[in-house]
């Protein structure tokens, strides 16, 4: 996955949103973090991995992937605010033997840790945890990158339409 390219595309979208909505970028970190938590919750809801009381199956793979890249948009945007988009070195995350539920909880924990102590180290741990979630959901890098590019276009179109 070409993360530097995704950071570049996210930066273009972020700049457009900031300009069109007259916003200051450094004042949006808390909003982005809450948005990320909401997106992770929406993703969990689509997987239904925690709904032990229900026999209803998970949503279609494409729906789950779209929810996953919604969260990726906010993680990239937070990284841009930190300045990691220019020199982001990423190490491949290894597979986890944790359940999907445990990995979701780990992602939530990493978001809260980053909120409490915003640092590049905590950001990388958050990003790694999120990529591990993607692996647990059986998305490969090509799936994620393609879905991100598609959703990025949708997000630009939404801005054009006054979303």
């Amino acid at each position: 996955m070409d993360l530097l390219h995704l950071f570049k595309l996210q930066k273009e979208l972020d700049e457009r949103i900031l300009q069109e909505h007259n916003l200051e970028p450094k004042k949006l970190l808390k909003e982005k973090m809450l948005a990320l938590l909401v997106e992770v919750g929406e993703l969990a809801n689509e997987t239904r991995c925690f709904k032990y009381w229900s026999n209803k199956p998970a949503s279609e793979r494409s729906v789950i992937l779209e929810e996953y890249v919604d969260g990726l948009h906010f993680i990239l945007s937070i990284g841009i605010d930190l300045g990691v988009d220019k020199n982001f070195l990423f190490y491949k995350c290894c597979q986890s033997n944790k359940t999907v539920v445990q990995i979701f909880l780990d992602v939530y924990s990493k978001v809260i840790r980053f909120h409490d102590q915003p640092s590049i180290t905590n950001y990388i741990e958050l990003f790694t945890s999120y990529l591990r979630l993607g692996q647990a959901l059986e998305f490969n890098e090509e799936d994620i990158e393609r879905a991100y590019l598609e959703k990025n276009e949708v997000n630009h179109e939404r801005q054009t339409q006054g979303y």
Side-chain angles (χ1 to χ4, degrees):
M1 183 164 24
D2 186 351
L3 289 176
L4 291 178
H5 181 63
L6 298 186
F7 273 115
K8 178 182 177 284
L9 294 174
Q10 186 63 45
K11 188 171 190 167
E12 290 170 4
L13 178 61
D14 286 356
E15 288 172 353
R16 180 176 182 184
I17 291 169
L18 291 171
Q19 183 178 29
E20 291 182 10
H21 294 271
N22 245 356
L23 299 169
E24 292 182 48
K26 298 300 179 190
K27 295 188 176 184
L28 298 175
L29 183 59
K30 290 190 184 317
E31 286 81 356
K32 289 178 183 182
M33 296 194 55
L34 179 57
L36 174 57
L37 288 169
V38 169
E39 292 299 341
V40 173
E42 290 178 2
L43 174 61
N45 200 46
E46 294 299 338
T47 69
R48 302 182 60 81
C49 64
F50 64 95
K51 295 188 176 188
Y52 59 88
W53 61 88
S54 175
N55 291 324
K56 185 177 174 184
S59 294
E60 291 183 24
R61 187 174 192 276
S62 61
V63 171
I64 295 170
L65 180 56
E66 183 175 348
E67 290 296 342
Y68 180 82
V69 298
D70 284 348
L72 182 59
H73 273 83
F74 287 106
I75 291 175
L76 291 168
S77 185
I78 291 166
I80 290 164
D81 290 348
L82 280 179
V84 299
D85 59 309
K86 295 172 185 63
N87 298 307
F88 190 66
L89 296 175
F90 187 75
Y91 304 100
K92 245 223 210 284
C93 62
C94 57
Q95 289 284 32
S96 176
N97 59 356
K98 294 180 178 181
T99 67
V100 173
V101 169
Q102 290 170 318
I103 296 171
F104 267 108
L105 292 171
D106 188 52
V107 169
Y108 274 110
S109 172
K110 298 290 196 260
V111 173
I112 298 304
R113 180 182 299 155
F114 177 80
H115 172 266
D116 293 341
Q117 300 172 335
S119 69
I120 290 176
T121 299
N122 286 340
Y123 174 78
I124 290 171
E125 287 181 11
L126 165 59
F127 206 143
T128 301
S129 181
Y130 200 72
L131 291 175
R132 192 170 290 125
L133 177 59
Q135 287 178 338
L137 295 173
E138 300 181 0
F139 300 135
N140 62 39
E141 291 181 2
E142 293 79 23
D143 293 332
I144 295 167
E145 190 166 1
R146 179 186 38 76
Y148 176 88
L149 296 173
E150 290 171 3
K151 188 61 184 260
N152 190 268
E153 284 182 30
V154 168
N155 288 339
H156 275 285
E157 184 59 33
R158 286 177 172 171
Q159 289 304 307
T160 300
Q161 296 174 354
Y163 182 72

